Amino acid sequence: NDQRRGKRMEETAMTLLRVDGSIQGVRSASSALADLVLEPVTARLPELGVLRRHLGRHPLPADAWALAVSGSHTPAEQRTAEQGDALALAKGLATELTSAEAAVLALPLYNWGVSQHVKAWIDLAITGGGSGARLLDGKPVVLIVTRGGGYGPGTPKEGWDHATPYLTRVLREVWGADLTVVERELTLVGVNPAMDGLQDLAAEKKAAAES
């Protein structure tokens, strides 16, 4: 599978889309993993174009989705300027996905779900692409999900991760991506003193994600 993906990348004048959702800046665990994904690819393919969209640093307008939806049901000559701008944004986001040959999406878990700025991006892209559009049809996509705590079987927060199932369903079943999911937990170890006893386990999970 890796050989097939590599061959596809090498045979295509490729643009790769990278989307980050972290609000942690240089301390972002998800962005660090995205760097690890991109480094060998860009080294092997120096001609690769990487289109970057950082939703945490530059969030999309919170009202854009509602305006795009209302604008899509309004005749063009009757749309407000705000509706027109929102529709153009939605279509541009959908085009970024359809034009890319591959994607790396670093989208951390926040408050047990996807953050509002990631949800806004997904909603706008769906609106811009049209109902049922497979925006990443057959394309290799790496989804990176990081979680501050532990959410595995037997943990107090088992079942509280409502982001990963949603994201995998949208990316694989709605948008048609050839999806690889990379997960890292316990990223708050070393930040939250209450988790100091989990240092060894956190190191194992970090190493596994990086591998």
Side-chain angles (χ1 to χ4, degrees), residues 20-44:
D20 287 89
S22 175
I23 60 172
Q24 296 297 321
V26 296
R27 297 184 292 113
S28 171
S30 62
S31 294
L33 286 171
D35 290 341
L36 287 180
V37 175
L38 283 177
E39 284 169 2
V41 179
T42 53
R44 187 172 75 247

Side-chain angles (χ1 to χ4, degrees), residues 141-178:
V141 175
V142 176
L143 168 65
I144 296 166
V145 180
T146 51
R147 298 181 281 265
Y151 293 79
T155 64
K157 289 293 193 297
E158 179 182 359
W160 283 50
D161 176 2
H162 301 288
T164 307
Y166 167 77
L167 290 169
T168 54
R169 177 150 291 176
V170 169
L171 294 170
R172 183 180 287 130
E173 299 183 30
V174 179
W175 289 352
D178 178 7

Side-chain angles (χ1 to χ4, degrees), residues 73-136:
H73 297 293
T74 302
E77 66 277 6
Q78 297 178 20
R79 290 173 190 154
T80 65
E82 291 79 9
Q83 287 175 325
D85 290 343
L87 270 174
L89 174 61
K91 291 177 181 178
L93 295 173
T95 298
E96 287 180 358
L97 291 161
T98 57
S99 298
E101 290 296 326
V104 177
L105 311 176
L107 308 177
L109 177 74
Y110 286 127
N111 297 323
W112 312 293
V114 294
S115 61
Q116 59 87 18
H117 49 278
V118 171
K119 185 63 163 58
W121 171 67
I122 291 171
D123 288 339
L124 280 163
I126 289 174
T127 300
S131 178
R134 293 173 67 84
L135 301 177
L136 291 167

